[in-house]
Each structure stands twice: as C-alpha cells, then as structure tokens.
Amino acid sequence: MSSSDILRFLRDPRDFACDSIDADLWSAGLTRIARPRAESTGRPLRKAQIEAWEGLAHARVGLILGPPGTGKTHALAWMAAAYLEARRAEGLPCRIYVTAFTRNAIVNLLEAIAQRGALLPEKSRVVFAGRSPVDQLGHGVEGVDAGDLESLLDSDYIVVGATVWGLNKVLGARGVATEDIFHLVCIDEASQMVLSHGLMALAGLEKSGRVVVAGDNKQLPPIREEYEHRIDGRRLGSSLYTFLQAANVPEYPLDETFRLNEPLTRYPRTRFYEERYRSATPDRRLTLISDWENGLEDWERVALDPEYPICVLVHDGPPSGTSNAFEAAIVARLSDALLKRLPPPASGNRDDLWEHGLAVISPHRAQNALIRRLLAQTPHGEKPIVETVDRIQGRERDAILVS
C-alpha cells in the first residue's frame, strides 16, 4: 500500500472502503468453510455475526461493533482463518496481520485463530512477534523475537501478530515506509487505538487487501488526551474506530452477549446500546459448590450469592488516594472465600482458577500491588490476576471483584 493510498484513506475513508475487492472469496470463507465447521464444534456463528461477514464482503474497510461478550473474537478468528483457507483453495497467497491497542488483545485473537485453523484441512503458521504479554502462548501460536518478523513476511500463508511499532521497525529495516505485504489486516480494540496508530497498521496492506476494524467506542477510549480536531465532520483527534464511524464506513453491530446474564446486560443496553444488546443466557448464574454458604458471615453470603449478579459494598472508611488498605483487605478476603467455593477447574489444580474463574480490577497500580501482597498470604494467592481494566479487557472470568 503506497503512501498516497494511505493519504486517500485518511481523506475519504468511505470512498476507500468502496473499492472493488474479492467479495466471492470472502463469501466462500463463510459458506464453504466457517459455517459448516463452526456448527460441527457446537459453537455456530450467530445471526449478527453472519450478517457482519456478509456485509463485509463488499467493503474493503469495515467496522465490527463488539459490545462485551458478543463473540467479536470468535467472529474475527473465523474470518481470518476461513479467508486464508479460501484463498489457498484458489491457489492465492494469504498473509494476515493482526494488531490491536494491547499485546494481550493481539495474543487473544491469535490464539482464537490458531484454534479455528486447527479444524481446517491445512495448518498455517500463527506467529506473535515481540515480547509476549503472557508466560506461555496458547497452543498453535509461535513466539518469535520482533527482529525475526521480517523473515516471516515472505511466507505465502501466515498469520502474524505484532504491534504497529513492530511492523514499523520491520518496514524501516527494509528502507521503506510502506509495502504490499498483507492481504488482510485485522485491527482489534480500535476504539482504544489513536488514528495515527491505525494508519501505521495499514502501512503493510497489499494494494488490493482488505481491512477489518473491530472495537466498541462505548467502552474504553484511547488512554491519552483526545484533541478535538474535525475535518469534514470527521474527528481526527479521536480513535481509529470513531474516525471511521464518523465517515460512515460500513458498520455491523453484534448484539447478543454470551458473557453477561440479564441483570448485567440491563444497564449497558439502556445506557449505551439503544436497546440493541441482549443476553443469550439471561438466567445464567455463577456456579458455586453445593455448600458454599458454610463458614461465611452474613455480608459475605450476600456478596457471593449467585442470585445477586451485581453486589455493591459501600463503606464509610477514611478518604484515600491511590490505595485503600480497608478495601484491599475486603477484596483479598472475598477473593479467598470465592476461590474456595468455585468448582475445581478441569486441570484439578485450584490455582488455575485465576485463569478463568476470578480476576480483581482496580484503576490504581498501588492498590493492585497492595491486594497482591495480601493475597500472597492466602492459600491460592501465588499468581493472582489483579490488573487495571485496560490490561484485562477482553479476558473473560466467571467473577470480577472491583476495588
């Protein structure tokens, strides 16, 4: 993709999105590959996901609006894996670039692509280039140093995940600002990514390549000051997602959440999503062991009761800044109580409950550090997941404690 093409994208993204592309191949990925295989796994694509896929067929650039738990990663992963397979079936190369605001989000999507790619006739390499945000990448995802990324770009069939800075360094090492490399660019968390970083992600787009941009501008904005600067009604100082949305680039909303039950869905539905957000599992509740109430004080029983999906504990403790010892003690106590009452994980190791069962969120690192120190004194506090919201976004848990 040339610098002039990027400038055209910036000036008129709607016109850029209307470029003629391989609609038939994109559609074949859905009808011949993704739908039958997804159904065979017991996790079929939902109506809104299929409509998004069909709509993107004729859009060189398109938006997927993915509120919490709506299967955005599930849909994106199938799109990438099936598009690669459809191009391979026609004897065409396919290189896919996956990027996002955080390395966690890049790895999450790569792992989902690898899982779906394992269901296809031929396996393609799925690689994360750079410093991994996790101790061990998921099955099917290779990890390489950022400096090794350049050697991967000549592969005919590959999915590469890297930050925009990683791609920028590779292009710089080749002595170019842009280059025709990737047939598909997937940008996740685009509502957190500033426009300039979005343009960097396009530097490796092949001249007839397509771009899928996913995010939710009702969630976290870019974590930096936004500068309100408009040209022709478009907000250049905002996120990539907001910029494309304001330009009326085709947008396809996912409206069915599998993560939240009805009580948890109600507020965001009415406050943010204009009644177009519903729970696919409205009656679902947290699963605890049969005698979970034993040994708890009254307030602890209320806080952990699955029949109260939302519980707010209000205290009149002293004012605090970036840490609060009283709240940290409460969170550590509830975490320990909850971990003892969640069903054992499939591995049989209760320490693994932090991977899927529970996470603690606080906006302040000092508070997180204090909570970790207190949890270290509990039986299952060796490797707790205690993070700021931007670091844990998209990583699902059965229960969340917020301080």
Side-chain angles (χ1 to χ4, degrees):
M1 186 169 176
S2 66
S3 298
S4 60
D5 287 331
I6 292 180
L7 185 58
R8 177 175 162 240
F9 172 90
L10 182 61
R11 286 174 170 168
D12 195 344
R14 172 71 183 182
D15 181 67
F16 187 95
C18 293
D19 283 356
S20 177
I21 46 175
D22 54 356
D24 291 343
L25 272 177
W26 182 261
S27 298
L30 171 64
T31 58
R32 301 177 190 172
I33 301 167
R35 285 192 76 171
R37 284 170 174 80
E39 289 171 2
S40 71
T41 68
R43 288 191 64 193
L45 293 164
R46 310 292 287 194
K47 181 175 181 290
Q49 295 169 340
I50 293 171
E51 289 175 350
W53 198 317
E54 292 172 340
L56 290 169
H58 297 280
R60 187 179 184 190
V61 180
L63 296 170
I64 295 180
L65 175 64
T70 51
K72 170 172 60 71
T73 300
H74 178 61
L76 283 176
W78 269 121
M79 288 175 184
Y83 183 59
L84 188 150
E85 188 65 21
R87 288 185 63 91
R88 191 205 302 271
E90 295 298 319
L92 299 171
C94 188
R95 291 177 290 274
I96 297 175
Y97 174 49
V98 172
T99 192
F101 173 69
T102 64
R103 290 177 293 123
N104 271 323
I106 297 172
V107 169
N108 285 344
L109 183 51
L110 288 177
E111 290 176 345
I113 293 171
Q115 290 169 5
R116 287 146 186 83
L119 302 173
L120 302 179
E122 296 190 53
K123 185 177 180 181
S124 298
R125 293 183 71 185
V126 180
V127 181
F128 177 78
R131 183 168 56 89
S132 174
V134 295
D135 293 336
Q136 183 174 357
L137 295 170
H139 180 71
V141 180
E142 304 173 43
V144 301
D145 292 335
D148 297 329
L149 176 58
E150 183 178 2
S151 64
L152 303 174
L153 301 184
D154 294 325
S155 303
D156 284 339
Y157 303 101
I158 193 167
V159 181
V160 173
T163 65
V164 295
W165 296 106
L167 176 61
N168 179 261
K169 289 179 181 177
V170 168
L171 295 177
R174 292 189 173 197
V176 296
T178 65
E179 186 175 346
D180 292 348
I181 301 173
F182 299 107
H183 304 89
L184 172 63
V185 171
C186 288
I187 304 175
D188 201 1
E189 289 186 340
S191 50
Q192 292 179 257
M193 181 181 284
V194 294
L195 175 58
S196 57
H197 290 180
L199 298 180
M200 292 171 66
L202 301 183
L205 184 65
E206 207 266 347
K207 60 184 177 182
S208 59
R210 57 169 67 237
V211 184
V212 177
V213 178
D216 180 5
N217 59 345
K218 304 298 184 183
Q219 296 188 54
L220 286 175
I223 305 178
R224 43 141 274 191
E225 184 178 358
E226 291 191 25
Y227 297 94
E228 188 63 30
H229 185 69
R230 294 177 180 265
I231 294 181
D232 297 332
R234 293 190 294 278
R235 298 174 58 188
L236 299 186
S238 62
S239 70
L240 171 65
Y241 195 98
T242 300
F243 169 74
L244 294 174
Q245 189 183 57
N248 293 317
V249 165
E251 181 183 33
Y252 301 95
L254 306 181
D255 58 6
E256 192 177 29
T257 179
F258 296 84
R259 186 184 303 168
L260 307 181
N261 53 31
E262 170 56 26
L264 293 173
T265 306
R266 194 175 304 139
Y267 176 76
R269 179 174 63 242
T270 57
R271 178 66 176 82
F272 300 116
Y273 301 113
E274 300 175 345
E275 301 297 329
R276 292 178 296 190
Y277 183 53
R278 60 189 178 86
S279 175
T281 56
D283 299 322
R284 182 183 176 189
R285 296 294 184 268
L286 180 67
T287 301
L288 300 179
I289 60 176
S290 59
D291 56 349
W292 68 268
E293 295 175 287
N294 293 345
L296 294 175
E297 295 187 12
D298 289 344
W299 70 272
E300 292 174 312
R301 276 194 290 273
V302 173
L304 301 185
D305 192 337
E307 290 306 311
Y308 300 119
I310 304 172
C311 183
V312 179
L313 300 180
V314 180
H315 64 84
D316 56 359
S320 58
T322 58
S323 66
N324 184 303
F326 177 78
E327 279 194 23
I330 292 296
V331 168
R333 180 169 171 172
L334 285 176
S335 296
D336 182 52
L338 186 55
L339 287 169
K340 292 175 180 176
R341 288 161 175 80
L342 288 171
S347 66
N349 184 355
R350 297 197 70 85
D351 289 337
D352 290 345
L353 286 170
W354 284 110
E355 292 301 316
H356 303 286
L358 174 65
V360 177
I361 297 175
S362 168
H364 301 294
R365 293 180 181 178
Q367 181 73 352
N368 287 339
L370 178 55
I371 293 170
R372 290 191 196 101
R373 287 198 298 271
L374 294 174
L375 284 170
Q377 303 169 24
T378 66
H380 305 293
E382 184 178 350
K383 293 182 179 179
I385 304 299
V386 185
E387 298 286 3
T388 56
V389 66
D390 58 293
R391 290 179 61 85
I392 203 170
Q393 185 186 23
R395 297 162 63 186
E396 295 187 13
R397 295 295 187 278
D398 294 327
I400 296 288
L401 298 180
V402 181
S403 174

